[in-house]
Amino acid sequence: MSLVEVKNVRKIYRVGKEKIVALNHVTLNIEQGEICCILGTSGSGKSTLLNVMAGLERPTKGDIFIGGINIAKLSEKQLALFRQKNVGFVFQSYNLMPTQTAIENVAMPLMFRGISKKIRTKEAVKMLKAVQLQKRMHHKPTQMSGGQQQRVGIARAFVAKPKIVFADEPTGNLDTHTTKDVMEIMVKMARQYHETLIIVTHDPEIAEYADRIVTLIDGDVRSDQKNVSLIPKDEEEIPQSPPQPSEMPTPEAGGNEHE
Amino acid sequence: MKLIDMILMSLSNLWKRKVRTMLTVIGVIIGTCAIVVMVSLGLGIKQSMDDMLAGIGDLTVINVNNYGTNQGTDSDPLDDAMLEKFAQLEHVVAVTPIQYSYGNFKITSGKYQYNGQITGVNFSTLEALGYQVTEGALPSGTDTASYSLLFGSTAAYDFYNPKKRNGYISMIPDANGNLPDPYVNPMKDKLEIEISIPEDSNKKVKPIKATCLGILAEDWSKNPSAYGVFMDIKDLKALQKEYNKANNIKDDPTKKESYEQVVVKTDDMTAVAAVEEAIQSYGFNTNSMESVRKPLEEQSRTMQIFLGGIGGVSLLVAAFGIINTMTMSIYERTKEIGVMKVIGCRIGNIRTMFLMEAAAIGFMGGVIGVLLSEGVSYAANTLSAGGGGGLGSIFGMGMGAGGQLSIIPPWLILGAILFATLIGLIAGIYPANRAVRISALSAIHQE
């Protein structure tokens, strides 16, 4: 059984009397430890798919099993508890608490779990060191660059060792150089803890970091293939062939695996 | 999420918006202050009423009368057994008969004599009844020597010399304001009780030696404490027997022993009504200050509710201030709340944190409000005392010297803080529910 099983999910938004189909019968399985990129242009439904998988939105139809639990059937309360236990999140606009230091921000998911301050601070420091922010631990978000803030965001997403980390355009607000840093750190983290990482992006270059690339167009899965490290620039031309068996990932990620 | 973490987060959120928090707190301060000051004024009025009544008569005392004729013949006599029943009633601390001597007695000291009334009471209850002495001591316990006396504060002036035309000493102060000494100092001089007998009788009745234990302090709320002479009830009964023997008066065997008047003291004026009712159920007439106190109390309660209501309105306004502030703050924090939900904050924790914030505003306002009220109350009391009732007369109360215009008892302090906190908590319910309903998705939406 896969960790994530998306079965025949539909999501329809109503705007006035008009219906907008964001997801049109999406079926998708993602395995434990897999780094999966959901690639698509604006309006392709990729963000909706992420929200639905993370339990932030309910599908109009279909089921989403995560670790065997159908989260489409959970109540608002149960969803919150589910997220606390299973989900980490990296946001495009970092979404750090502006009045709290890096340590406090990273420790927050642990605080929500009721872990004592001493232990959660220790964990947070460890995570911040892992993202190479040991010198910025007591800084507030406003005193940090975008790349640094996103690294804090990554530390926060991984600190509670969730089953799945979702990243929503994690480098959308970053320049090319920082993007590379941030992606490498995120992939390294996922590999280190053998966690499932689901990245949503419109940028094919980001997709290069993933094991598997799922391309969405107009609410449908257009292609689903293992990353062969060579992505055609034009996604439209990807043939709808079954994924080719390919050996593991990008050199960057592989190099960090033994840490 | 740990409680301490929720408290710290709530407080840091309030601290983040210091100015707005402070302004909201000020609203609660004013509301609390208004309630506390108003209630304290009401309490002051009530207290001065009670003081006034206490000056007229002891508020905790019930007089029981048995005039014999106006009760059914089958009613129980007002005797020692009945007194024992009264004493068993809840809240009763002391029961004593008040028995006036009949017949002709004299208390003599040398050539001077006292012809006033001798009142028999249960000596062991005097302390509980609140009698005090200026000289000597109140009898302690029941084992006082036979024929011990207590003199009323001015009773000594009633000694006179029967052989002189103008044998009295009047209680008129001299030029220096000092009272003249009476002929007899009961505490020092020898006292004897003489029983009068018919002049034609050839019997010899020996005078009875008596000692004075003390002089009672003047207290007009008590049964005559100025003119009378008190004697323990058992001595009075014995004395009465002696008198009957000397004057050949035979006891009526059919007449049951029954006191005419009994005083019952309760431990609190609120118990008076219930005790009175219980005594009436035995078939006796009672009267107490309760009948005066009750309507006055009703009146002062109405006044307190009115004054408290005025304060309540301002706290109500403050409550809306809290709702407004909290709602605004939730609008501003929509994204933050969304993020918290996405990264694993439980819904109950979010609600608790917002309720805590609102309650904290109420609590701070309550504490500062109470402190401020203490100041206002102090100022009002000082002004009214110093200005000869300047403020007091505004409220139409003839405040006696030392009467406090405003009284803040501990329960009011505690109650006001709790109430303000509760108001904050209630005001927080709506905003907290709003916060709970904020979708986790709002974390993702770009501004």
Side-chain angles (χ1 to χ4, degrees):
Chain A
M1 192 176 66
S2 307
L3 179 66
V4 182
E5 294 177 22
V6 178
K7 287 187 178 168
N8 227 357
V9 162
R10 257 175 97 76
K11 178 76 188 178
I12 296 165
Y13 292 107
R14 285 172 192 278
V15 180
K17 284 189 174 173
E18 226 174 316
K19 281 184 188 173
I20 296 169
V21 180
L23 294 175
N24 187 25
H25 301 299
V26 173
T27 299
L28 191 67
N29 288 350
I30 298 170
E31 304 301 324
Q32 170 76 44
E34 204 171 11
I35 297 178
C36 178
C37 180
I38 297 167
L39 193 63
T41 52
S42 169
S44 61
K46 61 184 191 306
S47 290
T48 306
L49 181 58
L50 179 98
N51 293 343
V52 165
M53 283 195 290
L56 306 182
E57 260 184 295
R58 267 171 219 288
T60 314
K61 255 186 197 156
D63 298 310
I64 300 133
F65 290 95
I66 293 186
I69 298 165
N70 188 354
I71 64 165
K73 297 275 191 293
L74 294 182
S75 74
E76 201 52 42
K77 260 189 182 168
Q78 291 168 318
L79 272 177
L81 191 59
F82 165 80
R83 285 195 296 265
Q84 185 185 86
K85 288 188 172 156
N86 300 300
V87 174
F89 218 100
V90 180
F91 301 90
Q92 177 176 4
S93 46
Y94 331 128
N95 282 348
L96 304 176
M97 298 293 159
T99 53
Q100 302 195 325
T101 64
I103 289 186
E104 286 166 339
N105 266 292
V106 174
M108 197 168 262
L110 297 177
M111 179 177 83
F112 291 151
R113 288 183 175 200
I115 290 166
S116 75
K117 189 172 174 120
K118 204 176 144 195
I119 295 171
R120 67 179 193 245
T121 304
K122 213 176 102 191
E123 286 297 310
V125 168
K126 218 161 85 187
M127 292 308 288
L128 282 168
K129 280 184 181 156
V131 296
Q132 286 136 42
L133 278 178
Q134 52 269 47
K135 285 182 183 158
R136 295 268 175 219
M137 291 197 290
H138 298 285
H139 286 59
K140 296 204 167 149
T142 45
Q143 300 161 317
M144 287 190 260
S145 71
Q148 286 168 337
Q149 286 190 53
Q150 192 58 300
R151 277 188 274 165
V152 174
I154 290 167
R156 181 176 68 181
F158 281 93
V159 71
K161 311 284 181 295
K163 285 205 184 85
I164 314 167
V165 172
F166 293 96
D168 182 17
E169 300 274 12
T171 57
N173 290 1
L174 301 176
D175 60 51
T176 332
H177 178 69
T178 331
T179 296
K180 195 165 167 272
D181 278 356
V182 163
M183 283 310 295
E184 277 172 14
I185 282 172
M186 196 156 63
V187 168
K188 179 185 119 186
M189 284 258 181
R191 297 251 184 262
Q192 190 178 345
Y193 301 114
H194 193 61
E195 272 163 308
T196 311
L197 175 60
I198 300 174
I199 307 164
V200 160
T201 184
H202 66 278
D203 182 354
E205 282 184 33
I206 299 297
E208 273 183 54
Y209 292 90
D211 302 337
R212 175 178 166 195
I213 300 161
V214 176
T215 311
L216 281 189
I217 292 175
D218 293 338
D220 277 311
V221 177
R222 177 61 61 89
S223 81
D224 182 350
Q225 57 179 191
K226 295 279 182 194
N227 181 14
V228 287
S229 285
L230 266 173
I231 312 283
K233 288 292 167 207
D234 188 359
E235 303 105 290
E236 299 286 336
E237 289 176 14
I238 293 169
Q240 295 228 23
S241 54
Q244 294 154 16
S246 80
E247 261 315 295
M248 282 287 278
T250 55
E252 294 95 320
N256 288 322
E257 205 172 16
H258 308 293
E259 208 173 291
Chain B
M1 205 172 164
K2 280 190 159 48
L3 185 67
I4 177 78
D5 288 327
M6 287 195 272
I7 294 172
L8 289 177
M9 263 196 100
S10 302
L11 293 182
S12 91
N13 277 328
L14 288 174
W15 185 244
K16 238 187 284 177
R17 298 165 172 83
K18 290 182 260 314
V19 175
R20 198 192 304 159
T21 302
M22 233 16 252
L23 290 173
T24 317
V25 167
I26 286 172
V28 182
I29 291 173
I30 294 171
T32 310
C33 201
I35 286 192
V36 172
V37 168
M38 288 301 178
V39 171
S40 80
L41 286 178
L43 290 173
I45 290 167
K46 184 177 179 313
Q47 182 66 50
S48 64
M49 274 181 183
D50 284 348
D51 287 350
M52 193 179 72
L53 287 175
I56 301 169
D58 192 333
L59 294 174
T60 58
V61 155
I62 301 163
N63 286 303
V64 185
N65 299 311
N66 176 29
Y67 301 121
T69 50
N70 57 355
Q71 295 296 328
T73 46
D74 55 342
S75 84
D76 294 320
L78 193 52
D79 57 7
D80 285 330
M82 183 56 73
L83 260 54
E84 190 54 38
K85 279 186 192 168
F86 294 168
Q88 298 298 324
L89 292 171
E90 220 178 323
H91 297 295
V92 170
V93 290
V95 179
T96 181
I98 305 275
Q99 190 77 350
Y100 301 107
S101 60
Y102 62 89
N104 203 350
F105 300 103
K106 285 182 262 194
I107 299 174
T108 59
S109 179
K111 56 187 175 185
Y112 304 106
Q113 69 178 50
Y114 168 92
N115 284 352
Q117 185 118 61
I118 300 176
T119 310
V121 294
N122 190 344
F123 261 18
S124 61
T125 62
L126 288 178
E127 200 173 344
L129 285 170
Y131 283 97
Q132 286 176 331
V133 288
T134 52
E135 271 179 74
L138 282 177
S140 56
T142 47
D143 50 337
T144 46
S146 289
Y147 298 110
S148 295
L149 304 174
L150 282 169
F151 272 70
S153 53
T154 60
Y157 287 95
D158 290 337
F159 278 100
Y160 71 104
N161 189 344
K163 302 226 165 65
K164 276 194 182 165
R165 180 177 295 230
N166 200 0
Y168 282 99
I169 288 188
S170 302
M171 276 183 71
I172 296 167
D174 62 15
N176 295 326
N178 294 323
L179 286 168
D181 284 331
Y183 286 130
V184 174
N185 180 350
M187 292 298 289
K188 286 189 185 142
D189 298 335
K190 263 189 188 169
L191 300 173
E192 285 182 330
I193 303 170
E194 282 180 23
I195 297 169
S196 307
I197 48 170
E199 278 184 18
D200 56 343
S201 169
N202 49 9
K203 276 189 185 169
K204 280 264 179 194
V205 181
K206 252 175 119 182
I208 301 162
K209 273 193 182 152
T211 44
C212 176
L213 296 176
I215 311 291
L216 292 172
E218 189 176 295
D219 183 346
W220 291 105
S221 72
K222 304 240 159 22
N223 220 39
S225 57
Y227 301 117
V229 169
F230 287 87
M231 182 183 269
D232 193 56
I233 187 76
K234 70 175 182 344
D235 292 340
L236 188 73
K237 281 182 190 169
L239 189 63
Q240 213 72 65
K241 223 169 242 172
E242 294 283 334
Y243 178 85
N244 289 353
K245 213 162 77 184
N247 289 282
N248 293 322
I249 298 170
K250 293 251 162 28
D251 281 341
D252 181 356
T254 60
K255 193 174 176 257
K256 289 184 251 175
E257 186 201 35
S258 184
Y259 300 116
E260 279 180 5
Q261 196 189 348
V262 167
V263 168
V264 176
K265 165 101 174 166
T266 58
D267 57 2
D268 195 85
M269 60 187 178
T270 54
V272 167
V275 173
E276 253 193 293
E277 202 171 304
I279 292 172
Q280 281 166 359
S281 73
Y282 287 118
F284 302 107
N285 284 335
T286 62
N287 62 67
S288 68
M289 292 302 287
E290 188 71 7
S291 55
V292 185
R293 193 182 72 88
K294 201 94 205 182
L296 277 176
E297 192 186 54
E298 299 271 296
Q299 198 186 336
S300 78
R301 182 169 297 152
T302 316
M303 195 178 263
Q304 275 185 65
I305 290 171
F306 174 70
L307 291 174
I310 293 175
V313 168
S314 36
L315 196 57
L316 188 72
V317 173
F320 282 101
I322 295 177
I323 297 177
N324 189 21
T325 302
M326 294 296 298
T327 311
M328 283 304 292
S329 131
I330 281 161
Y331 275 126
E332 285 167 18
R333 279 147 70 184
T334 299
K335 184 152 190 159
E336 198 180 308
I337 295 162
V339 171
M340 277 166 52
K341 278 190 168 179
V342 172
I343 65 174
C345 191
R346 294 202 206 176
I347 287 171
N349 290 157
I350 291 179
R351 175 181 279 119
T352 310
M353 278 190 279
F354 277 94
L355 287 177
M356 276 179 175
E357 272 182 50
I361 292 177
F363 177 75
M364 286 189 281
V367 170
I368 302 173
V370 163
L371 289 177
L372 196 64
S373 320
E374 288 280 5
V376 171
S377 166
Y378 178 78
N381 286 337
T382 316
L383 274 177
S384 71
L391 259 175
S393 55
I394 291 173
F395 291 98
M397 297 305 301
M399 217 66 60
Q404 280 188 305
L405 185 63
S406 152
I407 296 168
I408 303 182
W411 65 260
L412 184 58
I413 294 176
L414 215 66
I417 294 174
L418 279 179
F419 188 58
T421 311
L422 188 73
I423 290 283
L425 200 63
I426 292 170
I429 289 174
Y430 167 75
N433 282 338
R434 274 196 86 102
V436 163
R437 279 203 303 273
I438 286 174
S439 159
L441 263 189
S442 51
I444 309 226
H445 294 151
Q446 300 291 310
E447 273 114 58

